[in-house]
Amino acid sequence: MPSIVVTGATGTQGGATARALLEAGHRVRALTRHPDSPAASTLRALGAEVRHADFDDRASLDAALTGADSLFAVTTPFGTDVTVEVRQGKALIDAAAAAGLGHIVLTSVAHADRDTGIPHYESKHLVEQHLRAAGVPWTVIAPAAFMDNYAGGWILDGLREGTFAWPMPADRPLTLISAADIGAFAALVLRRRKEFTGRRIDIASDERTPRQIAETLAAAIGRPVTHQEVPLPDVRTRSADLAAMFDYFTTSGLDVDVARLRRDHPEIGWHSFADWAAGQDWSALSLRQLEIAGRRAGVTALRGAHAGRGRQSAE
């Protein structure tokens, strides 16, 4: 079978896409800046050809794309900035066009084409526009909010205290998708290029409110969880980009036709948020709680010992 190049192969979306393609029997050329990383070793063990490539090194892109048939392209501003994301995205598309690839599937973000004013949505739209003008058969898939973000970062910190901290009102719906579903849909598009060439598709697999998300997380981890709305000014002090995103989620909404996607593409096996949450390993949450409890018990015991010695001295 022809080789499909997957960028960001050791990341969330690229990794999910590479695994879905490998499971379907495709030849996968996984690109990464760190071919010796554990994630790269895992892909290699699954049958992928792992190669080094850097978006800022055109020679490495040319070498990595030579002889390939299709490309799954993912860009990100996180860890860099939106200017770098646009530059790197354009460089990747130019290299793919020069290599004569037959199909580029770019993963963007839902609503990036709607003038949202969100910096990292606008940067992805610029990359999309460059792709459309590149003269290569293309498809853009645009995922909604990632379910996978609810198992890490500040969300996990809040769950340890029984709180789902989220900068949206409790009853404002938000469309969601798991990384596994993104990978499965990308693999479908790459397998059936004629059906999807020239299309831009927003994708999601569920729609939940923050209150419903908190309830689902509580059921999954087996302890009470309450939604707490984080004020947007607090988010803005950390990231104007993310504050703009949450403001858009609240005012305009991130709507995606979930029912139609499920009806048109049942082979994806779309995950509901409850499906996703039930399938997560929440042991880190429990281990952290045990660690905190152990520290508290140790402090209590230490205070007791000091108090005992004090009484003995006084006697």
Side-chain angles (χ1 to χ4, degrees):
M1 301 181 72
S3 290
I4 299 175
V5 174
V6 177
T7 63
T10 56
T12 302
Q13 296 188 74
T17 301
R19 290 190 294 274
L21 288 167
L22 288 166
E23 289 172 5
H26 289 272
R27 293 172 56 197
V28 172
R29 188 180 298 174
L31 305 191
T32 175
R33 289 181 301 162
H34 307 290
D36 295 325
S37 68
S41 298
T42 298
L43 287 175
R44 195 177 287 112
L46 292 173
E49 175 192 2
V50 178
R51 290 200 189 184
H52 170 267
D54 189 322
F55 289 171
D56 287 322
D57 180 357
R58 176 58 186 267
S60 74
L61 290 176
D62 290 340
L65 293 169
T66 297
D69 178 72
S70 304
L71 169 68
F72 173 80
V74 58
T75 63
T76 179
F78 302 112
T80 55
D81 59 45
V82 294
T83 302
V84 173
E85 178 181 24
V86 174
R87 185 187 74 236
Q88 292 180 339
K90 289 181 176 180
L92 175 61
I93 290 166
D94 290 344
L101 267 63
H103 189 203
I104 299 175
V105 175
L106 173 69
T107 179
S108 178
V109 63
H111 289 208
D113 59 340
R114 301 193 190 186
D115 193 24
T116 64
I118 305 167
H120 76 275
Y121 281 41
E122 299 296 323
S123 60
K124 292 185 186 302
H125 189 221
L126 289 173
V127 177
E128 288 184 34
Q129 291 175 316
H130 192 76
L131 173 61
R132 290 170 182 258
V136 179
W138 60 269
T139 305
V140 174
I141 64 171
F146 287 10
M147 294 179 186
D148 303 73
N149 288 340
Y150 295 90
W154 89 72
I155 301 299
L156 198 60
D157 292 338
L159 291 179
R160 294 185 180 112
E161 304 299 327
T163 300
F164 170 56
W166 195 247
M168 287 178 64
D171 295 319
R172 188 68 168 101
L174 179 67
T175 49
L176 306 162
I177 190 166
S178 70
D181 289 347
I182 298 172
F185 194 81
L188 176 71
V189 171
L190 286 159
R191 291 198 306 270
R192 291 160 41 181
R193 69 172 65 174
K194 289 183 179 180
E195 178 182 343
F196 291 98
T197 294
R199 295 175 60 187
R200 185 190 190 282
I201 309 165
D202 286 349
I203 57 174
S205 58
D206 201 357
E207 183 177 63
R208 300 281 92 186
T209 66
R211 179 179 288 115
Q212 291 170 332
I213 290 171
E215 292 169 352
T216 303
L217 290 172
I221 66 178
R223 67 183 67 172
V225 175
T226 302
H227 167 251
Q228 176 183 334
E229 184 176 354
V230 179
L232 275 180
D234 290 358
V235 180
R236 195 168 288 112
T237 61
R238 299 187 178 188
S239 171
D241 192 338
L242 291 180
M245 182 185 72
F246 284 114
D247 184 47
Y248 183 84
F249 286 174
T250 299
T251 56
S252 298
L254 196 62
D255 63 295
V256 180
D257 194 342
V258 173
R260 181 175 179 176
L261 285 163
R262 286 180 171 272
R263 182 183 68 247
D264 291 350
H265 305 290
E267 64 271 47
I268 298 302
W270 304 98
H271 291 76
S272 68
F273 186 70
D275 294 335
W276 171 84
Q280 299 307 298
D281 179 3
W282 299 102
S283 60
L285 191 61
S286 299
L287 289 172
R288 178 60 176 162
Q289 289 297 114
L290 288 172
E291 180 183 337
I292 293 172
R295 288 178 179 174
R296 289 173 178 168
V299 169
T300 301
L302 186 60
R303 287 174 178 168
H306 279 297
R309 282 196 292 271
R311 286 194 297 272
Q312 290 170 4
S313 298
E315 292 168 354

